[in-house]
Amino acid sequence: MSINRMEFLETAFGNLAYQKHGSGSEVSLLFHGFGQNLKAYDAFITLRKPNETFLVFDLFYHGQSSWKSINQKLTKEIWRSILIQLMEKEGFDRFHLIGYSMGGKFSLLTYELFPCHVKSLLLMAPDGIKTGFWYNMATFPGILNRLFKHVVFHPKRFFKTMEVLNRLGVLQSSLMKFVKSQMKTRTMRAQVYFTWNVFKPLRPDLGSIIKMIRLNQSPITLVTGKYDMMITTSNLEKFSSKIAHLKTVELECGHNTLIEETAIYLKSFNDRNVGHSG
């Protein structure tokens, strides 16, 4: 019978919640996007083969994971120590990485820290390659960071300004829709503020990552949505063009349904391959 249980990695910085599916030797770490939790990967669970284990995470400030203090930033060194603790707890050394949007950035960072431990990368519209508007806004210095905090907790004027910019054609409707959906309630706005502040130091070193992917010939697949206005195929081109063996897949969908559509694509791809080998 497969293992499927909620686990908590208790660290000095916070508790990382994750669900464990299976007990095979091929381990995959799955990281969700902003505003989601591990349930975002429900469609992926059916893809798991008997020899595989899926560890599906709630990132900090999401789902059941908790971070101890907003004054403690999540640095690369802290993330490294958390992953080492996880590997010791779960008894694995090498693993596959699967990440969507913000989770794509966590996958890139994890690869940067453990390039010789990663067997493959599957990145769906990953953040961290071309930095988004929100990330930039949160990392502005001093007074602008205070402005960001004001926007998050007192959003009415901000939304009015956005509507004006949208009417003038300066701001895309898709971006405006995304921002409104992420900031509907005070709780959601607080999540935006805390997440972006605590995760601020996490910037993947793309030069180093590209070099190591090429050197190790790490299998990497980059999936985008044809109608995704947030993270587009052309946004990622500068990165993908530097890795000759990188596989790109563009699916007929937008940003929000990319995990489900990728699961459907992978299932049909696996079924086709089974058909050929039979």
Side-chain angles (χ1 to χ4, degrees):
M1 209 173 117
S2 74
I3 297 167
N4 174 1
R5 62 174 189 265
M6 202 67 186
E7 297 280 351
F8 291 89
L9 185 74
E10 294 178 12
T11 80
F13 308 98
N15 294 340
L16 187 65
Y18 62 98
Q19 204 162 42
K20 182 174 181 173
H21 297 267
S23 56
S25 59
E26 289 291 317
V27 177
S28 293
L29 311 184
L30 291 81
F31 301 112
H32 62 73
F34 176 79
Q36 297 181 321
N37 59 34
L38 53 77
K39 287 192 185 308
Y41 277 107
D42 283 356
F44 259 69
I45 305 309
T46 58
L47 300 172
R48 190 185 63 78
K49 298 181 181 79
N51 67 329
E52 293 178 331
T53 298
F54 282 5
L55 302 179
V56 193
F57 296 88
D58 279 342
L59 290 168
F60 296 111
Y61 287 110
H62 292 72
Q64 294 183 54
S65 287
S66 56
W67 187 253
K68 283 187 179 168
S69 167
I70 190 172
N71 299 318
Q72 172 66 67
K73 306 295 181 210
L74 176 54
T75 63
K76 287 182 185 180
E77 281 311 307
I78 289 172
W79 184 239
R80 186 203 301 270
S81 72
I82 289 169
L83 287 167
I84 288 169
Q85 195 180 328
L86 176 77
M87 286 190 254
E88 284 169 0
K89 181 187 172 189
E90 290 294 345
F92 67 90
D93 184 52
R94 303 195 68 215
F95 51 91
H96 303 271
L97 288 167
I98 298 171
Y100 162 72
S101 201
M102 180 177 75
K105 180 157 76 172
F106 273 84
S107 297
L108 287 164
L109 286 158
T110 303
Y111 183 85
E112 182 186 330
L113 296 167
F114 298 94
C116 298
H117 295 254
V118 175
K119 290 184 168 187
S120 73
L121 295 111
L122 171 62
L123 305 174
M124 295 165 276
D127 189 15
I129 292 175
K130 188 161 181 182
T131 306
F133 167 78
W134 282 110
Y135 185 84
N136 285 331
M137 193 169 174
T139 53
F140 284 154
I143 189 162
L144 291 169
N145 193 276
R146 286 197 292 280
L147 172 70
F148 179 64
K149 188 175 182 177
H150 185 82
V151 161
V152 166
F153 294 104
H154 308 92
K156 274 185 187 163
R157 188 180 297 172
F158 174 68
F159 282 138
K160 273 183 192 154
T161 307
M162 282 187 79
E163 271 157 22
V164 171
L165 292 173
N166 179 238
R167 280 201 298 274
L168 292 171
V170 178
L171 193 68
Q172 284 178 321
S173 297
S174 57
L175 178 62
M176 191 165 149
K177 238 164 68 182
F178 171 76
V179 172
K180 282 192 161 178
S181 72
Q182 299 295 354
M183 297 182 74
K184 273 192 294 223
T185 66
R186 190 180 170 86
T187 305
M188 287 172 89
R189 292 194 294 272
Q191 187 182 39
V192 170
Y193 182 70
F194 293 137
T195 301
W196 259 263
N197 259 285
V198 168
F199 295 177
K200 217 187 284 189
L202 295 179
R203 290 190 170 184
D205 179 343
L206 295 179
S208 162
I209 290 166
I210 289 164
K211 198 157 64 177
M212 291 311 292
I213 288 175
R214 292 203 305 223
L215 186 68
N216 294 336
Q217 285 295 294
S218 308
I220 174 168
T221 304
L222 209 50
V223 186
T224 51
K226 191 175 178 179
Y227 310 109
D228 186 348
M229 295 295 144
M230 305 297 303
I231 297 169
T232 64
T233 308
S234 60
N235 272 358
L236 306 176
E237 212 159 348
K238 204 174 165 190
F239 174 83
S240 57
S241 65
K242 289 177 180 165
I243 303 166
H245 69 275
L246 180 145
K247 182 184 178 187
T248 56
V249 177
E250 190 178 73
L251 299 175
E252 293 277 328
C253 65
H255 191 72
N256 293 339
T257 56
L258 197 55
I259 292 181
E260 290 80 3
E261 291 300 326
T262 303
I264 292 164
Y265 166 80
L266 290 173
K267 188 176 184 335
S268 69
F269 182 79
N270 292 342
D271 290 349
R272 279 201 307 276
N273 283 0
V274 168
H276 290 316
S277 61

